[in-house]
Amino acid sequence: MSTPVSARKPYQPKLGRSWWLKHNYYRLYMLREATVLPLLFFLGCLLYGLYCLTQGAAHWQSFQLFMQQGWVIALNLLAFAASLFHAKTFFALFPRVMPLAPAWLMISGQWLATLLVAAGLLLLFGGWL
Amino acid sequence: MSEYQLLLQRYDPEHDNEPRQQRFTVQGEHTTSVLDALLYVQQQLDPTLGLRWSCRMAICGSCGIMVNGIPKLGCKTFLRDYHAEILIEPLAHFAVEKDLIVDMTQFLAHLSAVKPYLINDYSGTQPHKQTPAQLAKYQQFSNCINCGLCYSACPQFGLNPEFLGPAAITLAQRYNLDSRDNGKAARMPQLNAKNGAWGCTFVGFCSDVCPKQLDPAAAVNQAKVESAKDFIISMFKP
Amino acid sequence: MQILQTDIIVVGGGGAGLRAAIAAAEAAPQLNICLLSKVYPMRSHTVAAEGGAAAVTLNSDSAAAHFQDTVSGADWLADQPVVEFFVKHAYQELVQLEHWGCPWSRLQDGSVAVRRFGGMKTERTWFAADKTGFHILHTLFQTSLKYPAIKRLDEYFVLDLLRVGEQVVGVLALALNSGELIQIQAKSVILATGGAGRVFHYNTNGGIVTGDGMALAYRHSVALRDMEFVQYHPTGLPGSGILITEACRGEGAVLLNNQGYRYLQDYGLGPETPLGQPENKQMELGPRDKLSQAFWHEQQAGRCGDYNGHAVVYLDLRHLSRTHLQQRLPFICELATAYVDIDPAQAAIPIRPAVHYTMGGIATDINCQTTLPGLYAVGECASVGLHGANRLGSNSLSELLVFGRVAGEQAAHYASQCPAADSKALSVQSEMSQRWLNRRFGTNATDSVAKLRRDMTLTMEQGCGIYRTGEGLAHCQQQLQALQQRYQQLKVTDHSKVFNSELLQYLELGFGLDVAQAICTAAMARTESRGAHQRLDSGMTQRNDAQFLCHSLAHYQANALPQLSWQAVQISSLPPAQRSYGTTDGAADSGAGNTKGAKA
């Protein structure tokens, strides 16, 4: 006996390029992923500064002038905000992936550690130590 | 009693080339679920409406649908939480067979792929000992009802249906964390593979939509940690 | 028409079907097993069982005690050799499930915990929080994936059994996703299709529990046994009937009427136990039939509350701590919040009885074999003789495992020996079925599948409810006959093939009507009151062992009322006695004490 032609015709929806615009959740996710862009700029600044440091005083001064421009400050402030946002999402996720202690304890612990490290670095490089 | 407009996505494979929308008017009171409303449509207005359902109490996992674009169980979503017009579509990212019925074949294949059963050499005639603390390590992940909502929330599955996806990886993790199981080595190849845990980019929406609050995103990312450990250990093995 | 050949067909992917398939695969690995279900296995209604599975576990417990509880719970209508076999094998089956990974709840030392349950003398109910059925089903489903011999046909609906002479040699099934018929040939067939609670209007059952398998066997002259015994679960949510597990009462919940009074003490279940100290077989831990009947009396006396037009009483858990509730009854907290908007830690849950379980079913022997060679039945669709006139909570999950295994092994044994049947005649039967199916389509003037089904469920609710009268039953039977006639005229208006819900519901309704008639006819013939079957007619309100200590057998008659015959109950060691609950015996009495100190 023959097998009849099936009446099935499943419709496969396609996910377009703009899929991430569909939900707030996806937009927030893309924002989290996009925090890498201002951070890249910050990293570029850091590398440029290091390079200038090796090239002598004149170069270092031009780097300092570059860093004082309004748009550079604005971009670095953006990078700072982005890193804080990313840290917030990352710190919230961490206890779910590594459930070692109650979530609230792990989250506040991570912020405390960040604060301590940042303060230490400030004291060290700010010349107070 | 309040009146609601249901905007239903319809698809009849024998007549349509792509889905279309149809509007129905239903009455709802405080306890009317979206499933109740859909069954009213099917029983009173249009018997051709296709949908899956059974238990009405959020445990059989049949009635997953998109309600205003968010994956939901129809039986555990209530009209009272919506305004007058509600958009209802079949679960996203799956192929649509008819109306609100999607093809779950791939989903089932992913579940089977992770060897979701205890693997050990135990041959006693008495139960294993397992303390409540050991049980608590995997209990949450054993509560998956296989409704598929997390796959509709996962854009990675939408982009690549070969991705094992949240429920399957959660299931693997459920057995990997079970103190009675020795089968992790047999499951890791699936999790390590391109379409395994690393296919996840931690969008995290799966955990948001999970009707049983399993946190599949956590399971998937725990699997990544395991996979990384597995990789590092394998480097030191001859 | 597509033809598929296999060795064993299991119809139904719930607990019993999965256990049978695994048992068959282990017993005879060379055989091919086809596990066919109208839904994906994990959607099967086993999933909704909450409370637990019974087996003798504690040192202080004994097989004899479980046996006595089950037989007296059944109001002596259980076949005692079957009960003996059951209580003897339940423990090892629960351990087997533990070995397969079921996340049973545990004590601090890592051993399996047991809880109290209605009608049980002692704690012997294994549980996985309050989702025991869910965990059993998923454990079995996931374990079944280990066996390459088990091939699944998900979302296939069986229309008919295939027969050569008296021998069952396969099934004819409808692939729901394509609308095509498929002929599946096999050497043995196991029916594990679940109960028929959906023939009633208010029930705790899922939409799929429509009695299909019962009707399949019934139409092929296998008798349906003890169909008059339909269990009302005392605690369903008003309106929806959603199940609120008996485990609540095992954990200490109490039942209150609208005056806040624990009314069960007025119905031979007292005296009142202190709050938070439940006693086995007393008050709220009485059996389900007694509790549902007590509700009916409270309703008659006007002592029920009202919830959206439904008469209710109240299940009070407020004296249990929130932590305890979250740990032991998390699903109940979730259900109460979602469906009646109540936090059980703060307010009592409105509940009322709802149809829960069909004690009767396809008559089988202790080996799950029916009167047709090659046909087996197991689980709620079957009547193996375990539950008699009233099932004790947590016996049925164990039944799925104990007898699921028996059915699988027996069917495998039969299939290994049985020669392949001559399949020529099968094409004729299949082609006839195809033509019959084609004639179902058309248009209706006013009637519809949904209307007819609603009329059936309301008729059953009215005529075959918690209490029955001769008059009500006669009316119900007339109505059912009229509905059968309407069904003959009814057409399926949706002509499509892919997932035709109307066609599926039409076929289920046909099965349901046959089962409903069997229930009503058996209830009419049993002019006594026993277990879940209670008559109000004068002279019928008591148990009548002289005449009715026997099983009813309903035999199908095409286009006519079922014929009824009687079958003796097998009594091996516990002679009939008065069933009694409350303090006069029971909890404190570990001997064969159910026979003394009886109360009305």
Side-chain angles (χ1 to χ4, degrees), chain B residues 106-167:
Chain B
Q106 186 106 45
F107 175 77
L108 266 287
H110 287 334
L111 290 184
S112 318
V114 299
K115 301 192 184 354
Y117 34 80
L118 272 197
I119 301 175
N120 60 36
D121 305 324
Y122 188 76
S123 59
T125 56
Q126 290 304 313
H128 299 83
K129 287 273 178 187
Q130 184 168 62
T131 64
Q134 287 171 321
L135 174 64
K137 277 199 165 32
Y138 72 90
Q139 190 171 29
Q140 180 183 335
F141 297 151
S142 73
N143 283 332
C144 172
I145 61 171
N146 300 347
C147 62
L149 299 197
C150 51
Y151 285 68
S152 290
C154 175
Q156 298 306 335
F157 176 73
L159 294 165
N160 168 27
E162 299 297 319
F163 172 44
L164 276 182

Side-chain angles (χ1 to χ4, degrees), chain B residues 37-216:
Chain B
L38 290 171
L39 289 175
Y40 170 80
V41 171
Q42 193 193 52
Q43 282 161 25
Q44 305 295 329
L45 308 175
D46 184 353
T48 67
L49 177 65
L51 74 151
R52 289 195 185 100
W53 70 283
S54 178
C55 75
R56 315 158 290 148
M57 53 194 278
I59 193 74
C60 79
S62 304
C63 65
I65 44 170
M66 307 294 281
V67 182
N68 285 352
I70 309 284
K72 296 272 187 191
L73 288 181
C75 67
K76 217 188 165 192
T77 308
F78 298 90
L79 297 184
R80 61 178 184 244
D81 297 325
Y82 292 86
H83 296 297
E85 189 176 282
I86 307 172
L87 173 65
I88 293 171
E89 300 159 297
L91 281 182
H93 307 153
F94 292 100
V96 183
E97 291 273 7
K98 178 185 182 178
D99 297 338
L100 302 175
I101 298 175
V102 296
D103 183 2
M104 300 291 278
T105 316
Q106 186 106 45
F107 175 77
L108 266 287
H110 287 334
L111 290 184
S112 318
V114 299
K115 301 192 184 354
Y117 34 80
L118 272 197
I119 301 175
N120 60 36
D121 305 324
Y122 188 76
S123 59
T125 56
Q126 290 304 313
H128 299 83
K129 287 273 178 187
Q130 184 168 62
T131 64
Q134 287 171 321
L135 174 64
K137 277 199 165 32
Y138 72 90
Q139 190 171 29
Q140 180 183 335
F141 297 151
S142 73
N143 283 332
C144 172
I145 61 171
N146 300 347
C147 62
L149 299 197
C150 51
Y151 285 68
S152 290
C154 175
Q156 298 306 335
F157 176 73
L159 294 165
N160 168 27
E162 299 297 319
F163 172 44
L164 276 182
I169 298 174
T170 303
L171 191 57
Q173 196 59 9
R174 172 250 175 276
Y175 281 100
N176 283 345
L177 290 171
D178 193 320
S179 59
R180 299 167 292 181
D181 182 77
N182 295 323
K184 200 158 116 186
R187 288 182 205 103
M188 286 322 287
Q190 282 291 339
L191 297 179
N192 294 340
K194 178 167 127 274
N195 293 319
W198 300 101
C200 162
T201 55
F202 215 152
V203 178
F205 196 28
C206 53
S207 292
D208 231 47
V209 304
C210 176
K212 295 285 154 186
Q213 289 85 42
L214 254 65
D215 203 353

